[in-house]
Amino acid sequence: MTTLSLIIPVFNEDDAIRPFLDRMAQLRSQFEVELGSPAKLEFIFVNDGSLDNTRSTLEHLCRNQAEIKVINLSRNFGKEAALSAGMHHASGDAVIPIDVDLQDPPQIIVEMIRRWKQGAQVVNAKRVDRSSDGLFKRGTANLFYSILEKIADQPVHAHVGDFRLLDRQAVEALNQLNENTRFNKGLFSWIGFKVAEVEVVRPPRENGTTKWKPTKLWSLALDGVTSSSTLPLRIWTYLGASIAFLAFLYAGALIVYTLITGGDMPGYASIMVAVLFLGGLNLLSLGLIGEYLGRIALEVRRRPLYIIESKEGF
Ligand code: UDP
Ligand code: MG
């Protein structure tokens, strides 16, 4: 028996759940053909502290359909934590995290299963066309990935969201990673394994509105950089060393000059420039160290990634 688990994090998505399940019902036979018989599907909805009727809708569906399972988190922990909760509870031979808003086109799953059956252990859905995303989001996403590409210690698959197929071995590997500041896209790439790629065009959201505020996306981007690279910390060693070297040269020259000519008083501009430049540099590097330090503080507390209030259907 081959089981496919779909992990669906939901935050205030009451309007989107039924259309999502309807779409899945249409595609179900195609999934089963690819999976080979006997096949089983499992839908794990992770209710990430929704404030609307998401919870009652899910619990109603769960009571009527054995393959629907629900994890209610005790508050909104964010999509990354919600995905981890789902991953810890998935029983499938293959696991696919997917958005409920149909922006991750479900028909791609057919192709993903095919690639998996051919031996790939991680099948990425690469976003080749993001025109539905709006100019700002596309621009910032491009910038983010191009920076990350240059500085990440291990390459992070660019323009691949959380929508991908992970086989059991990859899921077990991910479940072993117990860091608190989680950047799943980085971890999915970090674990390695045989990777295949299918291309998707990301359609606009079908129901409801986006649950990401720009500030949340900014934090996610910072988490992405700090969890994938230590280069931003190391830069200061080199920059600091170069500036110190130049400063020593300049100081030496100044001493010689003063000894010879007796020195000249007007030096306000050069002193101000040096003080402001070095002060600014200090603050910038301190801030950057703070970004890492804050995350270290979070890690040493060893709090759980999420808290489950209740589970249904398991
Ligand atoms: N989501 C979540 N918790 C959050 C934010 C989002 O579980 O704090 C879920 C959301 O319900 C959806 C998925 O993550 O199923 C993707 O969110 P959204 O479509 O708003 O993101 P976008 O497509 O705009 O990047
Ligand atoms: Mg979306």
Side-chain angles (χ1 to χ4, degrees), residues 23-270:
R23 189 88 184 82
M24 284 296 161
Q26 287 165 12
L27 290 164
R28 170 177 204 115
S29 56
Q30 288 185 50
F31 296 166
E32 282 168 349
V33 168
E34 289 300 328
L35 285 167
S37 59
K40 209 179 106 189
L41 287 184
E42 172 185 61
F43 295 90
I44 302 182
F45 284 92
V46 186
N47 173 16
D48 186 15
S50 299
L51 303 167
D52 62 354
N53 289 324
T54 297
R55 181 168 181 164
S56 53
T57 302
L58 284 176
E59 286 174 352
H60 176 75
L61 289 163
C62 172
R63 255 172 265 132
N64 296 317
Q65 259 174 286
E67 58 197 15
I68 295 182
K69 300 171 182 181
V70 182
I71 301 173
N72 290 302
L73 301 186
S74 63
R75 63 166 169 84
N76 178 247
F77 279 88
K79 186 184 178 188
E80 309 292 300
L83 276 184
S84 300
M87 218 106 77
H88 287 141
H89 288 83
S91 65
D93 303 290
V95 174
I96 301 180
I98 183 168
D99 289 358
V100 74
D101 58 6
L102 297 172
Q103 279 196 289
D104 297 332
Q107 65 274 17
I108 300 293
I109 294 175
V110 178
E111 181 65 26
M112 284 178 159
I113 300 171
R114 200 171 296 147
R115 294 299 191 85
W116 173 54
K117 286 280 173 179
Q118 288 166 0
Q121 289 165 294
V122 176
V123 185
N124 292 333
K126 187 172 174 116
R127 296 171 185 172
V128 285
D129 173 6
R130 301 184 63 133
S131 50
S132 69
D133 260 345
L135 211 59
F136 178 74
K137 183 144 182 197
R138 238 181 313 155
T140 48
N142 280 334
L143 182 70
F144 170 69
Y145 282 117
S146 69
I147 292 176
L148 205 59
E149 204 162 72
K150 291 196 183 72
I151 67 172
D153 300 332
Q154 279 297 315
V156 174
H157 308 138
H159 294 289
V160 185
D162 296 319
F163 184 42
R164 48 187 106 197
L165 182 147
L166 303 155
D167 92 347
R168 178 69 3 221
Q169 217 186 341
V171 173
E172 294 298 328
L174 284 167
N175 286 348
Q176 276 175 27
L177 307 179
N178 52 5
E179 57 212 75
N180 279 39
T181 37
R182 260 186 129 68
F183 179 64
N184 281 318
K185 293 178 236 317
L187 302 182
F188 291 159
S189 313
W190 183 86
I191 54 170
F193 295 113
K194 281 194 278 304
V195 180
E197 204 167 73
V198 294
E199 299 193 338
V200 293
V201 177
R202 197 164 155 84
R205 207 179 218 279
E206 291 208 359
N207 296 282
T209 51
T210 176
K211 303 295 176 291
W212 290 94
K213 295 190 211 90
T215 47
K216 245 174 152 184
L217 269 180
W218 169 245
S219 320
L220 185 71
L222 276 185
D223 279 346
V225 170
T226 53
S227 69
S228 316
S229 169
T230 50
L231 185 71
L233 277 177
R234 262 177 296 145
I235 288 174
W236 303 100
T237 316
Y238 303 116
L239 201 64
S242 329
I243 290 173
F245 178 69
L246 291 177
F248 281 133
L249 287 186
Y250 184 57
L254 260 186
I255 290 169
V256 174
Y257 177 78
T258 313
L259 284 177
I260 295 170
T261 66
D264 43 15
M265 269 312 271
Y268 178 73
S270 56

